[in-house]
């Protein structure tokens, strides 16, 4: 099979977009299979920077068909804005993008609900989940609940208006009942806006499941692009501080609509350190000047929200768990250059929980809060590495760091990123840093 999948193995923001961009020249399809506009993938081409939220990162290549699959929740207003911004920069989108008619639609009431639920009915001392407040969770909730869900293809059906009117009536009563009088849903206005957008998107709204099943059977080359990261997986992440979809490798089949055997290679993406956004336990967090230095060197501010990310040392316990969970074959280690100039580096190899040394990632968030990270210290490197293009040309200390991560995860490292641009990537396929 010719299917490869790229999945983040931390709490998101692992620079997956760059890797998708690097692999796209050799594929025919790039498929985004879960999440929504809460994702932010950044691709740097020369002096040009592209920030993508819904559109797959392969959109910059004319020969590639980019698919937003049925597992994604789509805000059509956001999508149109993203299309316009790309086309204004000379990127032809409409002939490269296909949208699943099964994908669920984010409406204004979802955004309103998201804000209300995040800001209300919560003690001041309780840690917030930290959603992007873009309506993703409420849309997934309606998808599972079925009764108040609208799919992209539904907006092209004759009963779209009557369905929307019924839902708006209920949602207005629900929002008002929470004590919010500031949110007023105008069914006519929403209908006119979304119908106009649906007509514009009509040529791109298709049965992508059928297209992908045919492509799989024809052994055509497909790259599946995950959003967020495996530690945010709704079933297998640090619940409840997670996203609303299966953001680990287990989600690709359901989200894209293909059999599991369609993915022949799983590439796990990791930063050379750890970050997370929002609430939830973070065992290796550095709430100190070193953490701020990593944040500044790595520009660790959300591409979707602009929020500063929490930064910490690399957590091999968590990464080993998500590597196994997602069935990862090889690793892409990103942003190694950010660690340059640090005199010492620390790798978390174990946790201590109730006096016991463990390598198992706790399944309950309360246990994860109580663990103490056990670190291994390695010597850092002083020189910048952004111009290095061969593994053997890295400083010896950087080579040792990469090798140790590979050993701890028991996986070969295939790619090393030393900067944001395409060229700033070391391919290790002939120089495997293990064994």
């Amino acid at each position: 099979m010719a299917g490869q999948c790229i999945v983040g193995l931390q709490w998101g923001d692992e620079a997956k977009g760059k890797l998708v961009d690097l692999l796209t020249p050799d594929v025919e399809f790039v498929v985004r299979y879960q999440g929504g506009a809460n994702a932010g993938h950044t691709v740097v081409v020369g002096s040009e920077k592209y920030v993508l939220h819904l559109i797959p990162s392969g959109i910059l290549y004319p020969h590639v068909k980019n698919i937003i699959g049925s597992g994604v929740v789509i805000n059509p207003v956001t999508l149109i804005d993203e299309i316009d911004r790309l086309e204004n920069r000379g990127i032809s989108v409409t002939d490269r993008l296909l949208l699943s008619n099964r994908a669920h639609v984010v409406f204004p009431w979802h955004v309103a609900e998201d804000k209300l639920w995040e800001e209300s009915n919560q003690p001041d001392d309780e840690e917030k989940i930290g959603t992007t407040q873009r309506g993703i969770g409420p849309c997934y909730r309606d998808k599972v609940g079925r009764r108040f869900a609208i799919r992209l293809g539904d907006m092209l059906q004759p009963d779209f208006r009557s369905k929307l009117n019924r839902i708006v009536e209920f949602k207005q009563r629900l929002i008002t009942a929470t004590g919010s009088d500031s949110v007023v849903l105008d069914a006519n206005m929403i209908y006119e806006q979304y119908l106009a957008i649906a007509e514009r998107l009509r040529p791109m709204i298709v049965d992508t499941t059928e297209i992908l099943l045919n492509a799989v059977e024809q052994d055509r080359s497909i790259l599946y692009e995950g959003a967020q990261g495996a530690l945010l997986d709704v079933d297998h992440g640090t619940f409840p501080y997670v996203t609303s979809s299966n953001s680990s490798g287990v989600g690709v089949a359901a989200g894209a609509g293909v059999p599991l055997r369609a993915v022949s290679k799983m590439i796990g993406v990791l930063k050379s350190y750890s970050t997370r956004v929002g609430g939830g336990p973070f065992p290796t967090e550095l709430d100190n000047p070193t953490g701020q230095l990593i944040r500044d060197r790595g520009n660790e501010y959300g591409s979707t929200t602009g929020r500063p990310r929490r930064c910490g040392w690399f957590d091999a316990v968590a990464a080993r768990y998500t590597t196994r969970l997602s069935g990862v074959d090889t690793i892409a280690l990103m942003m190694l250059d950010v660690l340059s100039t640090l005199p010492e580096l620390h790798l978390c190899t174990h946790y201590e929980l109730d006096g016991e040394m463990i390598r198992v990632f706790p399944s309950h968030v309360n246990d994860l809060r109580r663990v103490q990270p056990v670190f291994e210290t390695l010597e850092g490197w002083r020189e910048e590495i952004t111009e290095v293009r061969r593994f053997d040309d890295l400083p010896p200390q950087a080579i040792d760091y990469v090798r140790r991560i590979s050993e701890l995860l028991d996986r070969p490292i295939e790619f090393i990123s030393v900067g944001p641009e395409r060229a700033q990537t070391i391919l290790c396929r002939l120089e495997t840093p293990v064994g």
Side-chain angles (χ1 to χ4, degrees):
M1 289 293 180
Q4 298 184 84
C5 181
I6 292 174
V7 60
L9 298 180
Q10 293 161 311
W11 282 286
D13 311 308
E14 301 96 346
K16 297 180 291 295
K18 177 185 178 180
L19 190 61
V20 174
D21 180 64
L22 284 169
L23 297 179
T24 295
D26 298 325
V27 304
E28 298 175 74
F29 298 89
V30 174
V31 183
R32 169 78 184 278
Y33 60 85
Q34 49 77 218
N38 52 347
H41 289 176
T42 301
V43 178
V44 178
V45 184
S47 60
E48 294 292 318
K49 178 180 178 181
Y50 301 88
V51 179
L52 306 169
H53 298 285
L54 280 166
I55 296 176
S57 301
I59 199 67
L60 303 181
Y61 291 88
H63 74 282
V64 173
K65 283 295 183 185
N66 292 265
I67 291 178
I68 298 180
S70 57
V72 179
V73 293
I74 299 175
N75 185 325
V77 178
T78 302
L79 179 60
I80 287 292
D81 178 66
E82 196 167 329
I83 290 172
D84 288 343
R85 283 188 285 107
L86 285 169
E87 293 195 332
N88 287 338
R89 297 175 68 177
I91 307 297
S92 179
V93 175
T94 54
D95 59 343
R96 305 180 194 175
L97 182 64
L98 298 174
L99 312 172
S100 173
N101 56 10
R102 293 178 168 91
H104 284 249
V105 180
V106 177
F107 283 91
W109 54 81
H110 293 129
V111 177
E113 287 176 331
D114 211 354
K115 292 178 179 178
L116 287 171
W117 303 158
E118 180 74 1
E119 296 170 359
S120 65
N121 299 323
Q122 184 170 350
D124 292 338
D125 61 348
E126 185 175 313
E127 197 170 13
K128 291 182 181 295
I129 291 175
T131 78
T132 59
Q133 299 187 19
R134 298 196 173 205
I136 309 303
C139 185
Y140 274 114
R141 185 168 62 238
D142 280 346
K143 172 182 177 177
V144 175
R146 302 179 299 277
R147 186 175 180 185
F148 301 110
I150 295 179
R151 304 198 294 182
L152 203 57
D154 295 338
M155 298 201 304
L156 300 175
Q157 296 297 316
D159 64 344
F160 173 44
R161 181 159 201 157
S162 60
K163 181 180 291 188
L164 184 140
N165 287 344
R166 175 178 57 81
I167 294 173
V168 167
E169 180 183 355
F170 174 82
K171 293 291 185 177
Q172 185 66 74
R173 285 191 279 114
L174 179 66
I175 292 170
T176 302
T178 65
S180 175
D181 297 324
S182 61
V183 177
V184 178
L185 301 173
D186 187 323
N188 289 329
M189 184 180 298
I190 295 171
Y191 172 76
E192 295 296 338
Q193 179 187 24
Y194 275 65
L195 181 63
I197 291 174
E199 289 299 333
R200 182 174 169 186
L201 296 176
R202 182 186 285 270
M204 292 176 271
I205 300 174
V206 296
D207 184 353
T208 61
T209 302
E210 177 67 15
I211 291 171
L212 287 173
L213 288 175
N214 289 336
V216 168
E217 291 173 356
Q218 295 162 10
D219 203 28
R220 298 173 72 180
S221 53
I222 306 171
L223 185 61
Y224 302 93
E225 177 183 22
Q228 290 90 35
L231 290 172
L232 295 174
D233 189 288
V234 67
D235 290 312
H236 305 286
T238 52
F239 191 89
Y241 303 97
V242 294
T243 191
S244 303
S245 59
N246 287 118
S247 52
S248 67
V250 303
V252 58
V258 296
L260 282 172
R261 64 178 179 273
V263 180
S264 57
K265 182 177 182 180
M266 187 73 71
I267 303 172
V269 187
L270 289 160
K271 280 179 181 169
S272 56
Y273 49 96
S274 300
T275 65
R276 91 171 291 175
V277 174
F282 185 178
T284 65
E285 184 171 11
L286 291 168
D287 188 14
N288 58 26
T290 300
Q292 185 61 48
L293 177 64
I294 292 174
R295 182 179 299 113
D296 292 338
R297 283 185 59 86
N299 191 28
E300 294 294 352
Y301 299 89
S303 56
T304 299
T305 64
R307 290 182 295 185
R309 298 181 185 127
R310 301 157 63 190
C311 298
W313 297 120
F314 187 89
D315 187 338
V317 179
R320 179 175 175 269
Y321 163 65
T322 53
T323 294
R324 297 169 66 207
L325 173 69
S326 296
V328 165
D329 298 296
T330 62
I331 298 290
L333 188 64
M334 313 301 280
M335 303 180 76
L336 186 65
D337 55 297
V338 173
L339 298 180
S340 298
T341 76
L342 291 171
E344 288 185 343
L345 303 175
H346 302 277
L347 288 170
C348 174
T349 60
H350 296 76
Y351 294 153
E352 182 180 335
L353 179 62
D354 297 333
E356 180 184 358
M357 296 277 280
I358 63 172
R359 287 188 70 197
V360 175
F361 190 75
S363 59
H364 200 286
V365 70
N366 289 341
D367 290 334
L368 189 61
R369 288 189 194 282
R370 295 190 296 112
V371 302
Q372 294 298 317
V374 178
F375 290 110
E376 183 177 294
T377 301
L378 287 79
E379 184 182 354
W381 57 94
R382 295 290 186 175
E383 60 266 49
E384 298 289 353
I385 60 174
T386 55
E387 300 301 319
V388 176
R389 297 296 179 266
R390 295 180 67 252
F391 179 70
D392 290 342
D393 293 336
L394 286 168
Q397 300 90 338
I399 290 175
D400 290 343
Y401 186 76
V402 172
R403 285 186 183 277
R404 185 59 178 141
I405 288 177
S406 182
E407 291 169 1
L408 288 167
L409 303 185
D410 193 27
R411 296 294 189 279
I413 293 177
E414 187 174 0
F415 305 91
I416 300 172
S417 175
V418 293
E421 297 185 11
R422 287 173 177 169
Q424 292 176 300
T425 308
I426 298 171
L427 303 179
C428 302
R429 284 172 289 194
L430 301 179
E431 305 170 315
T432 306
V434 291

